[in-house]
Amino acid sequence: MEIVVSGTRPTGVLHLGNYFGAVRNYVRMSEDPNYTCYFFIADYHSLTTHHQPAELTKLVKQTIATYLACGLDPKKVVIYIQSHLPQIPELYLLLNMLAYKGELEKVATFKEKIKMHSENINAGLMTYPVLMASDIIIHRAHKVPVGKDQEQHLEMTRNFAKRFNSRYDVDFFPEPVAYNFGSELIKVPGLDGSLKMSKSGAANNAVYLDDGDDEIRRKVMKAKTDGGPTEPNQVKPQEIKNIFELMDIVSAPDTIRHFNDAYNNCNIRYGDMKKQLAEDMIKCIAPFRQKINELLVNEDYLHKVVRKGGEAARESADKTISGVKKIMGLNYF
Ligand code: ADP
Ligand code: TRP
């Protein structure tokens, strides 16, 4: 049995990038009997940037509801909240002794974040990859379904796991890999012409799984386009490439072919293309929205899911921490 672990920061209802880049793979892996899966809400990670306490409580519930609405079955997988496992910060503290300032300062997400939050460059932000590694290796995971943007964090996780093994001359932690079911890691682009759909992007960058039909139409119709191709088979500029990539994700092959041919023949009408994209997104999103809203009113059920998940996750985490302490000589009596 291989162990699978992944998590999402509770920064709101998830968007199409989170779904196609990560959560859809969580669901697929959860249906494969060869995997034991742990999926969690990374609430500690959202404290690395300033947060609103009342907002966080709401967002955690929304993320649990979204996981369930996307098809994660709590009977098949362990769903829990990161802060319900005291073993994670314990392992984080121990791993911090093996993490070097120089390597943490070089991480791309850290460099980006310190540019965005120059007033709040805290130690938690710098050690974000150490906490993430702890999340993963606390269950001695083999595979981690994530989007392409997390590859560097996974590389660091492997470094910490290898370093622990070699420092103590053991073969205790496997080296976990970033995983996308049967294909390459993907990056879903934003509607504003940016390379990545993101919760922290511009207002109409992301389409959320609970967006209303009209909201989706409005966002898609506002997507950036250009004056149109002037020569047959012209290379697509980024914002047009993005619209085609989004279509690849939600539309039928015939629809994609139709607009590609129109682009290559210079008779594409972006308005028509965007209308079609919006309708295809709506078809994909409407069932999620309905389920999220149904689940959100059932707080008792959401609580039951993470309470039960927390128990199972703590049991697995305890085994790892006991092993780590023994290896490190922290077991005295
Ligand atoms: P965001 O970047 O929107 O704040 P998170 O960092 O919480 O989202 O990401 C949660 C998961 O979704 C991660 O596995 C991440 O790799 C994936 N993900 C986020 N945005 C995208 C995207 N645009 N394309 C593919 N995967 C994505
Ligand atoms: N860093 C991840 C993100 O921004 C979230 C995350 C935290 C995570 N811990 C993890 C993902 C462990 C996979 C495994 O999306």
Side-chain angles (χ1 to χ4, degrees), residues 290-307:
Q290 196 190 337
K291 281 195 210 136
I292 292 171
N293 291 334
E294 281 166 18
L295 284 157
L296 274 177
V297 292
N298 197 345
E299 280 219 5
D300 283 350
Y301 177 62
L302 299 182
H303 186 197
K304 199 173 127 204
V305 167
V306 290
R307 205 176 47 224

Side-chain angles (χ1 to χ4, degrees), residues 182-195:
S183 59
E184 283 186 6
L185 302 188
I186 64 162
K187 193 189 260 184
V188 178
L191 274 174
D192 57 350
S194 64
L195 290 174

Side-chain angles (χ1 to χ4, degrees), residues 8-9 15 17-18 21-22 146-147 149-150 186-188 196-199:
T8 308
R9 282 175 307 135
H15 52 68
N18 299 136
V146 281
D149 59 320
Q150 297 298 315
I186 64 162
K187 193 189 260 184
V188 178
K196 184 179 166 230
M197 186 173 283
S198 165
K199 287 169 224 161

Side-chain angles (χ1 to χ4, degrees), residues 89-107:
E90 200 172 351
L91 182 57
Y92 164 68
L93 179 139
L94 300 173
L95 282 189
N96 266 324
M97 313 302 172
L98 296 174
Y100 300 110
K101 178 173 168 273
E103 67 184 335
L104 295 172
E105 277 171 345
K106 272 192 243 148
V107 178

Side-chain angles (χ1 to χ4, degrees), residues 192 201-206 208 218-219 222:
D192 57 350
N204 76 322
N205 160 299
Y208 294 91
R218 192 188 60 77
K219 285 185 185 172
K222 270 178 73 182

Side-chain angles (χ1 to χ4, degrees), residues 124-141:
L125 193 62
M126 189 162 132
T127 54
Y128 185 112
V130 187
L131 181 57
M132 179 156 163
S134 308
D135 293 330
I136 296 169
I137 68 175
I138 196 72
H139 301 300
R140 299 169 76 188

